[in-house]
Amino acid sequence: MMTHHRDFRAALGRFATGVTIVTTLDDSGRPVGLTANSFNSVSLDPPMVLWSLARTSRNLAIFERATHYAINVLASDQRALSDRFARPVENRFAGVDWRAGTGGVPVLDGVTAVFECSHATRVPGGDHIVFLGQVEAFDARDREPLLYHGGRYATPCYAPALP
């Protein structure tokens, strides 16, 4: 059995990821969102994606009850937004520009991509819950993504395309 959680986490950090803010509405219709880098594609037909949330998250019950959510893929100039949604802040949406997407969930302005999902299922995964969503709508823009690698934000390094 593995006992070095810190070493395991550091090893996982060697895999560069994008940074997302997952958004939904609570039971009273207020916007809720959090920073997550546990996002991946699942299926093209039907279009499905997944993300995961720690069982200890104070927002877990809200996302478990949600019928819809949006996965907003952040652009490289949105680091402050990532930080804001990663920390406990009274009103994370104060001063943040967004529009209502599928199911009324917040779609953030300026992101490089967004996947508006209806909840398909969730699966226990150790100390996390894995959410699978059916993509109902999406949008993408040609913007440099915000990356996370080795426990910190990273800058993409693009190599020339191969012939």
Side-chain angles (χ1 to χ4, degrees):
M1 178 168 169
M2 185 173 50
T3 58
H4 302 292
H5 297 289
R6 190 177 323 177
D7 293 341
F8 182 59
R9 186 175 182 150
L12 290 171
R14 303 314 306 157
F15 180 69
T17 66
V19 181
T20 69
I21 293 176
V22 185
T23 58
T24 194
L25 300 172
D26 69 11
D27 293 336
S28 62
R30 288 182 302 225
V32 174
L34 51 87
T35 300
N37 68 344
S38 60
F39 165 70
N40 209 342
S41 63
V42 174
S43 171
L44 295 176
D45 187 16
M48 295 183 79
V49 295
L50 68 78
W51 66 284
S52 67
L53 183 58
R55 289 179 184 264
T56 58
S57 172
R58 64 185 178 99
N59 292 310
L60 180 61
I62 294 168
F63 280 99
E64 286 181 324
R65 289 190 302 270
T67 60
H68 293 83
Y69 49 81
I71 301 167
N72 298 271
V73 181
L74 299 185
S76 61
D77 62 353
Q78 293 180 308
R79 179 177 174 175
L81 200 57
S82 170
D83 288 341
R84 177 186 190 124
F85 279 77
R87 296 186 173 98
V89 174
E90 176 112 9
N91 181 359
R92 290 178 172 164
F93 286 87
V96 174
D97 292 329
W98 61 276
R99 67 170 175 80
T102 304
V105 300
V107 172
L108 305 178
D109 286 350
V111 297
T112 190
V114 63
F115 301 90
E116 299 172 47
C117 302
S118 60
H119 172 70
T121 192
R122 61 181 181 270
V123 179
D127 60 1
H128 279 64
I129 300 293
V130 180
F131 291 83
L132 281 90
Q134 175 126 4
V135 178
E136 302 290 333
F138 69 93
D139 189 28
R141 306 204 184 270
D142 190 17
R143 303 205 58 221
E144 186 175 275
L146 181 61
L147 299 180
Y148 201 73
H149 178 262
R152 62 184 176 270
Y153 294 106
T155 303
C157 178
Y158 293 106
L162 297 175

